[in-house]
Amino acid sequence: MLNAEKRKTILLLIPIILVLVGYVLYPTVETFIESFKSNGLFTLQNYVDFFGPKAQANLEALWNSVYISLLSVLLSACIGVPLAFIFTRYHFPGRSFFSGIAIMPIVLPSLVGVMAFMWLYGEAGLIPVALQDLLNLEEVPFSIGGVTGILLVHAYTMYPYFYMTVSSALNNVDPSLEESAANLGSGRFGVFWKVTFPLLTPALVAASLLVFMVSMASFSAPFLLAGGYRVLSLQIYFSKINGDLEMAATQSVILSAVSITFLLFMRWFQNRKDYRMGSKGIGAHRSEVTNPVLKWMMVSLGVVAMIVLLLPHAVLAILSFVPEGAWTWQKYPTSFNLENYRLLFEDPNIWDPVRNSLIMAFVACVGCFVFGIITSYALVKRKFFGKNLLDILVMLPWALPATVVGMNLILAFNSKSIFSFGQVLVGTFWILPLAYFIRFIPLVVRSTNAVLEQMDDSIEEAAQNLGARWLYTFRRVVLPIIMPGVLSGTLLAFVQAVGEFPTSVLLYTLDNRPISIEIMNQLRMFNLGQAAAYGMIQVGLIAIVMLISYKFFGVKSENTL
Amino acid sequence: MTAVTLSKITKQFGDVTAVKELDITIKEGEFFTFLGPSGCGKTTTLRMIAGFYYPSAGKVKFNDRDMTTVSPEKRNTGMVFQNYALFPHMTVFENVAFGLKVRKVNKAEVKRRVEDVLEKVRLKPFIDRQVSQLSGGQQQRVALARALVIEPDILLLDEPLSNLDARLRDEMRNEILRLQREYGITTIYVTHDQVEALTMSDRIAVFNVGNCQQIGTPTEIYNQPVNDFVAEFIGETNLFKVKKTGEGLFCEALNLRVHTSRENSMKNESIKMSVRPEAITLSKTKLEGVNVLVGKVDLVQFTGESVHSFIKVNEGHTTLKVTDLNRGPSTYLQEGSDIYVQLPPDQVRIVPVAKE
Ligand SMILES: Nc1ncnc2c1ncn2[C@@H]1O[C@H](COP(=O)(O)OP(=O)(O)OP(=O)(O)O)[C@@H](O)[C@H]1O
Ligand SMILES: [Mg+2]
């Protein structure tokens, strides 16, 4: 006999499973099947081609991707970990201000960030050109592009992962541990190596895995900077553009395999009992830097780092005032005015992409909001068989590179299926909101999980005991309690969806272009100012969302990642 | 007014049997306590009455109505949770009014009843506070008010005082009793604190791992424990194995032929004698009669209102604990001095061994 509780659980699970199976699992399976097809026959030929001599480009791209990802991990760690140490262990003038600046890279959407890097350090970039003029050189002294470009952008955008995880781990290390080790006669280096480092290992591993996954999936940086350099996420796009869907599917499967391996590894690692400390609320001791020379060296280093970190933001802001034609063949921009912003609000052609993005992101986020709440509730508060499996399915879109999500959708919905209500979705308005929805399910579910886990089960039971039915309890008690967490997650998903590039470039339709596609268009037409203005809109949105999250929901910007 | 009948209820969690074939009848208006060590199934039983668990077997009845599988929101019980489970996003008023709003009571009536009950728990001045701004004891009283305001048929309390400090606990104990008497609600109270159980209850059920050992009034439980588990769990006692011999009972540990004036028709092979520390007579001069031992004072412990003396008997092999009220330093025994001990036959209780 099914009791009422079980019936409720099943009722909750039905829509969750339908959505996940229809829009996450089924597209993934379609891609998997497609990768075994060649001219309508089932075969391993695509894989033979991938690994064989016939299409060496693929194998090369895979190795390049792995190579870049490993180097990205290394570089990000080299920047993020020392920064975390400096900011948590030393006190010097302006410390908290600088530590706030240190996470600024996360407010740049990836495409916009890459663009700013190009303008700054690219071949015709402002800094190389300025240096050339200053030093009277024949050629530009340096410029980024290819592997170095990708790596620089990755290091810039991904070191905050290390910085933030290591900072919070360091804050949780009980200083008395280190003190007692020192007391027992360990040298400074010994203390670090024997005590601090093992305690930081979980954070370091987690950040490394994350950065590796994000780099493997990275699309915008190679798209703009790679030149002839091949990486796997980009190869998928090229195969698709060339109409070779089977190869695109094969590449997707291989890229996903790497990512999912990492996801599983990470879950395993996080579920392991780690030696987090019991003592809380101690906060790190910070040693005051007393040596005046050292102190001012640190401060000036901080200022320099701040300038480097904020240059992309600054250049974006400045260039957004450069009207069309004022910086094409010229060395430097020749005029500044509000033209781009005026056009944005007056020219429907310019405004439409913004509107499209806002509408599509909104639709997707309404979906994420509703689905995220239900799913998270089921995952956290209900017992059922196969919960682990469902959890993995929910997190799958997070582990899958965006390009793969896009490919999955193409392969699943370029023909009629029951999940698209018998429609072909590719080429319609609905495909992009669907893609955004899928991409950002994990983000909303995770932020909702965090608040739901904080909520004691007995609160619901108390409401039920007072005579409230489940739905009433859910509406009046559960929802209000978890709303801040859900909203901050959803808002974050919203701003990311507004700037989303990889899935957009695979799925957009001409009459429904999102911002990111229009940015690419403007770049192609050398109308950099307009592209920068679009970027500024996104940065503005992100800033607003972070402020709202912080002010109203008490969510720290660090935790929104 | 509601009576609760549990007949042969069993609850299993996978392989663990949390409650096994429990039979209890709780009378209308009674203050009934579940007492037992941690993990013995008290909470599980309470939650079956509230409806959060359904028994694996057996029946739960309120009066004559079978409630075994009725869902919690239809049972009209008022539960006070160990961690209070107040709604953190609501004020004191909203918390207390919740149950009434669910019952669609009209606004004016809600206001009147909430104010009424807050008056009773002495929280009227805090009516518009956010619950996070209250002290532990105040939160406790909000939880109590929230449960009482719906005029539940049964009040269920799961270790409601365990998070409070000793003084507040005393105060709240009286508060709960006062309210229970005032409302006359059938109340089931879960605790592992024996003082709480003995002072508050009309009747107590003593639990041990999954089953009920004894049900009775506090005096019955204390004075006539049915087995060694109950005797040992409630209060202090001196417990020794005894054997049946041709001439009667013999206690090896004390090397004593034990006389007891109490009925003793125990069929059990393994039996024990229990004698409370405060029932033992001590004397510096020789004592006449049965159950007399000679010993040495080993240790004297002063606790304030009473004095514990530990007496070594049977050539130092066994220690007896004896408690006397504090009557001033002149009455304290000298450690190391010889002493005569008598276990009054009417205070020696023979109990079967429950646990092995
Ligand atoms: N939901 C559950 N799933 C599995 N086992 C459970 C569950 N709830 C209780 N148990 C087990 O049932 C037994 C009785 O638990 P219960 O919570 O009723 O004990 P208790 O008497 O209330 O103890 P305490 O005084 O510590 O609160 C324990 O062994 C416990 O581990
Ligand atoms: Mg309990």
Side-chain angles (χ1 to χ4, degrees), chain A residues 1 3-5 8 456 458-470 472-473 476-478 480-481, chain B residues 47 50 52 54 72-74 77-79 81 83 85-90 98-99 101-103 146-147 150:
Chain A
M1 189 197 74
N3 63 37
E5 283 304 298
K8 257 173 247 159
D456 202 293
S458 57
I459 292 206
E460 262 181 279
E461 285 170 358
Q464 208 182 2
N465 177 259
L466 292 169
R469 288 162 177 282
W470 180 78
Y472 188 91
T473 306
R476 292 302 173 83
V477 177
V478 179
I481 294 177
Chain B
R47 290 171 65 84
F52 295 125
Y54 297 148
E73 69 266 23
K74 294 183 193 134
T77 60
M79 180 143 170
F81 292 80
N83 60 356
L86 299 180
F87 307 130
H89 58 300
M90 297 183 186
F98 187 89
K101 283 193 185 143
V102 172
R103 285 168 175 70
R146 187 176 68 176
I150 59 171

Side-chain angles (χ1 to χ4, degrees), chain B residues 254-303:
Chain B
L254 299 172
N255 194 13
L256 179 76
R257 261 214 51 193
V258 181
H259 293 264
T260 169
S261 56
R262 296 211 191 191
E263 195 70 20
N264 153 39
S265 54
M266 226 62 74
K267 297 275 186 301
N268 276 44
E269 276 302 288
S270 50
I271 48 178
K272 283 186 177 176
M273 60 173 279
S274 158
V275 51
R276 301 282 184 196
E278 70 273 15
I280 297 177
T281 315
L282 291 181
S283 168
K284 288 177 186 160
T285 55
K286 196 165 167 39
L287 288 166
E288 295 297 322
V290 292
N291 294 351
V292 173
L293 294 154
V294 189
K296 244 186 181 38
V297 179
D298 190 38
L299 181 70
V300 177
Q301 230 174 31
F302 171 71
T303 67

Side-chain angles (χ1 to χ4, degrees), chain A residues 113-129 140-154 156 221 224-227 312:
Chain A
V114 179
M115 204 165 70
F117 259 74
M118 264 175 34
W119 292 330
L120 271 174
Y121 309 110
E123 249 172 280
L126 291 168
I127 293 196
V129 171
V140 287
F142 73 92
S143 74
I144 61 162
V147 187
T148 47
I150 299 173
L151 280 176
L152 259 176
V153 172
H154 280 188
Y156 175 80
L224 286 176
L225 295 170

Side-chain angles (χ1 to χ4, degrees), chain A residues 209-513:
Chain A
L209 290 173
L210 198 64
V211 169
F212 188 89
M213 273 175 62
V214 175
S215 306
M216 281 299 281
S218 165
F219 184 79
S220 309
F223 189 85
L224 286 176
L225 295 170
Y229 196 74
R230 295 192 173 90
V231 297
L232 201 49
S233 53
L234 210 52
Q235 288 299 105
I236 296 174
Y237 171 72
F238 289 139
S239 300
K240 189 255 166 185
I241 296 292
N242 295 334
D244 189 354
L245 288 186
E246 284 147 7
M247 189 34 93
T250 312
Q251 289 158 339
S252 297
V253 169
I254 286 165
L255 188 56
S256 315
V258 178
S259 292
I260 290 171
T261 311
F262 271 80
L263 172 78
L264 293 178
F265 188 57
M266 206 153 141
R267 273 178 65 95
W268 169 80
F269 188 81
Q270 282 173 344
N271 289 344
R272 236 176 32 142
K273 241 190 147 68
D274 59 11
Y275 23 88
R276 207 164 298 152
M277 294 293 98
S279 51
K280 266 200 172 167
I282 292 147
H285 285 329
R286 295 201 181 92
S287 12
E288 187 83 35
V289 180
T290 41
N291 182 336
V293 181
L294 204 63
K295 178 154 101 184
W296 290 112
M297 253 171 62
M298 276 179 118
V299 175
S300 36
L301 210 75
V303 172
V304 172
M306 180 182 81
I307 293 174
V308 173
L309 281 177
L310 290 183
L311 261 182
H313 305 69
V315 83
L316 193 72
I318 293 169
L319 289 184
S320 70
F321 297 111
V322 175
E324 185 164 13
W327 193 36
T328 46
W329 50 268
Q330 301 94 329
K331 266 190 175 172
Y332 306 104
T334 48
S335 75
F336 298 91
N337 55 36
L338 284 171
E339 184 67 8
N340 294 321
Y341 290 100
R342 190 185 62 77
L343 285 176
L344 208 48
F345 294 106
E346 285 178 8
D347 184 346
N349 272 330
I350 304 288
W351 170 248
D352 275 356
V354 179
R355 199 203 53 193
N356 292 340
S357 271
L358 290 177
I359 291 176
M360 290 191 292
F362 180 78
V363 171
C365 284
V366 170
C368 280
F369 179 79
V370 175
F371 182 79
I373 290 175
I374 300 177
T375 307
S376 172
Y377 180 81
L379 281 176
V380 177
K381 295 290 176 191
R382 294 274 151 172
K383 284 204 198 93
F384 53 89
F385 179 76
K387 191 188 241 183
N388 241 328
L389 214 64
L390 190 75
D391 193 27
I392 289 178
L393 207 55
V394 170
M395 284 303 147
L396 192 62
W398 177 73
L400 290 181
T403 336
V404 173
V405 173
M407 272 319 295
N408 289 351
L409 287 177
I410 291 179
L411 293 167
F413 298 118
N414 61 3
S415 57
K416 294 174 183 173
S417 88
I418 41 166
F419 296 114
S420 55
F421 307 100
Q423 307 287 315
V424 176
L425 285 186
V426 174
T428 68
F429 166 81
W430 288 103
I431 192 75
L432 268 185
L434 181 63
Y436 299 163
F437 166 69
I438 295 165
R439 284 269 287 147
F440 298 111
I441 288 172
L443 201 165
V444 178
V445 170
R446 274 218 281 190
S447 59
T448 311
N449 278 357
V451 273
L452 265 178
E453 273 159 11
Q454 301 267 310
M455 194 186 85
D456 202 293
D457 291 349
S458 57
I459 292 206
E460 262 181 279
E461 285 170 358
Q464 208 182 2
N465 177 259
L466 292 169
R469 288 162 177 282
W470 180 78
L471 200 64
Y472 188 91
T473 306
F474 191 76
R475 263 182 24 232
R476 292 302 173 83
V477 177
V478 179
L479 268 189
I481 294 177
I482 65 172
M483 200 44 86
V486 190
L487 274 183
S488 73
T490 311
L491 278 176
L492 195 71
F494 178 78
V495 289
Q496 294 197 10
V498 167
E500 169 78 9
F501 180 55
T503 47
S504 304
V505 78
L506 285 168
L507 296 167
Y508 77 96
T509 55
L510 273 181
D511 50 351
N512 191 27
R513 279 166 305 168

Side-chain angles (χ1 to χ4, degrees), chain B residues 38-44 47 82 158-159 190 192:
Chain B
S38 185
C40 66
K42 307 177 299 279
T43 299
T44 308
R47 290 171 65 84
Q82 185 170 355
D158 190 356
E159 306 199 26
V190 168
H192 56 241

Side-chain angles (χ1 to χ4, degrees), chain B residues 300-315:
Chain B
V300 177
Q301 230 174 31
F302 171 71
T303 67
E305 60 193 42
S306 55
V307 180
H308 300 306
S309 313
F310 294 87
I311 316 287
K312 281 226 186 286
V313 294
N314 188 16
E315 292 162 354

Side-chain angles (χ1 to χ4, degrees), chain B residues 13 22 31 92 129 135 138 172 183 208 213 315 334 352:
Chain B
F13 297 108
L22 188 63
F31 195 112
V92 171
R129 284 264 188 111
S135 72
Q138 291 164 339
M172 285 304 299
Y183 282 83
N208 186 19
Q213 302 282 335
E315 292 162 354
Q334 281 294 311

